[in-house]
Amino acid sequence: MCFSHLRWNFVRQRPQHLLTRAAKRFDVLFIEEPVFEAGGTARLKREGVGPSLEVLVPIVDPADTQSLAQVLHGLVARELDGSRHRTRVFWYYTPAALAFTQTLHRDLTIYDNMDELSAFRGASDALVSQERTLLATADLVFTGGYSLYAAKRDAHPDIHCFPSSVETAHFARARQGTTPDPAD
């Protein structure tokens, strides 16, 4: 179960690269940040995006924003209760998801720190403390580059620099002679 601040269909980047590979061996649920729709009952909108890979979008009434963490906790807990899987891995791209997942049982916690989210415009003041908590409780931490690794290497005993890279097989197809060069 992956918790992300990014939309799956926004742009193909690190989460899509890693999780499509993970889905070859595991069932993957990618949970996006909520979408607000007035007048409805809170629910998870599901979209299959590949074999063993589903995107879940929490749909929440804007009137529920005061209790948003509680609503999201309930949605994720119900999803877990209905799961046929006994082993649970929580993969975090955003520490903000701790607000609604911290008390849920999991067997392994991975924090893939691909961005310094607290530096983004409009970032929540709570993000720094949420990240501190995630770093203290995660079993394994990856950083998306050397500068993030250098800044956080002393914050966790099992942290690894795992820079983003190019999908060689994907881009090699352009040189196999079967794909025409673009006009530009």
Side-chain angles (χ1 to χ4, degrees):
M1 188 168 275
C2 176
F3 302 96
S4 181
H5 60 291
L6 301 168
R7 300 277 176 218
W8 183 266
N9 290 320
F10 172 62
V11 65
R12 186 169 172 83
Q13 54 187 324
R14 184 181 182 92
Q16 291 84 351
H17 293 188
L18 296 177
L19 295 171
T20 53
R21 284 174 174 78
K24 291 177 183 176
R25 296 194 53 202
F26 306 97
D27 291 330
V28 175
L29 298 175
F30 183 88
I31 300 179
E32 296 182 352
E33 290 190 337
V35 169
F36 297 96
E37 291 181 5
T41 302
R43 67 190 186 285
L44 290 172
K45 179 180 156 193
R46 308 177 87 85
E47 178 187 1
V49 294
S52 301
L53 179 56
E54 284 186 289
V55 173
L56 304 180
V57 181
I59 308 296
V60 179
D61 190 309
D64 291 336
T65 56
Q66 292 296 337
S67 60
L68 182 59
Q70 184 179 356
V71 170
L72 294 174
H73 179 275
L75 291 172
V76 173
R78 277 193 295 282
E79 182 66 31
L80 290 170
D81 287 345
S83 173
R84 60 186 166 87
H85 301 289
R86 291 191 181 108
T87 303
R88 295 179 181 171
V89 176
F90 283 12
W91 185 293
Y92 290 88
Y93 279 106
T94 176
L98 281 180
F100 59 91
T101 63
Q102 192 166 359
T103 62
L104 296 172
H105 168 74
R106 81 289 304 270
D107 298 289
L108 182 70
T109 300
I110 299 171
Y111 177 30
D112 192 354
N113 181 207
M114 65 181 263
D115 291 308
E116 188 61 72
L117 295 178
S118 63
F120 283 25
R121 185 172 26 132
S124 166
D125 293 337
L127 207 50
V128 171
S129 66
Q130 289 167 328
E131 182 179 62
R132 208 174 6 254
T133 301
L134 185 54
L135 285 166
T137 58
D139 297 294
L140 179 62
V141 177
F142 298 119
T143 63
Y146 294 106
S147 61
L148 281 170
Y149 175 77
K152 298 185 181 173
R153 70 175 157 228
D154 296 328
H156 194 276
D158 200 4
I159 187 168
H160 304 273
C161 185
F162 186 31
S164 298
S165 59
V166 173
E167 287 191 76
T168 306
H170 171 78
F171 288 101
R173 293 187 312 210
R175 296 295 165 226
Q176 293 173 349
T178 58
T179 304
D181 286 338
D184 64 347

